[in-house]
Amino acid sequence: MQVNETQSSCHCKAKNRPKNLNLFTIRLPINALVSILHRATGCILFLVLPIILLLLQLALSSAAHFERVVSILDSPFIKLMLLGLAWAFFHHFFAGVRHLAMDVHWMTTLMKARYTSKVVLVLGVLATVVLAVKLWA
Amino acid sequence: MMTKLLTKRYPGMRAWLMQRLTALIMAVYSVMLFIRILILQADSYEAFLDFFQPSWFRIASWLFWISLSIHAWLGIRDVFKDYVPNMQMRSVLLKILVVLLWVYIAWASWLFVRK
């Protein structure tokens, strides 16, 4: 609305209008943050599908290959990547459960939605931390 | 009213419902898998094979993979719809997506069914 008004009333100021192509100038509300992370983590999980299948195939094929997969997954760098992936899974999982809850009209007011967004973010990180402790301890 | 919305006239409603149904199946499977991993602690090749042996687990895993494929198809298709305005480019990407998902299904089926 506002943009249209300025556009029609004064063309001379068009040059000075902010273009807002810089994504870092946009402060996302927490619900939007959870939403875009849900999408991003979904894409990441889709991209690692072939790696999961490959590792599964190797691990099932023979004892030697199984040991090899275990040693690959045991290296510190891979472990860190795994942790990142685990976070992607956990976030996608909890944000998905939140969507399902909202589909049955649970926690749908703005304040409640903001609260469940925080819960989703915390749960995702918490689950990852628990896994990290389990992987390194 | 609900059933009317699920006919072919409203493909969006079907997609919406399928995305939720597959999500539910995957969520239940994931929880089951985590519990199974925690209980069985498969740390040797033999134990890992045993982990994979029961037919119910293979069937569940296969169902999970089918759900995942449908879920990924709907999700990634939405991403393409949002970020790829060029229709030719989008249709090529969607075709690649379909081929990839079918290859993954064939691969996963082979892994879950053999032996």
Side-chain angles (χ1 to χ4, degrees), chain A residues 32-49:
Chain A
L33 181 71
V34 167
S35 178
I36 193 64
L37 285 177
H38 190 217
R39 172 165 277 194
T41 51
C43 290
I44 293 170
L45 292 171
F46 167 72
L47 289 175
V48 296
L49 289 182

Side-chain angles (χ1 to χ4, degrees), chain B residues 29 54-65 112:
Chain B
Y29 176 90
S55 1
W56 70 264
F57 181 72
R58 286 159 181 254
I59 293 167
S61 300
W62 191 78
L63 274 178
F64 167 81
W65 200 270
F112 297 149

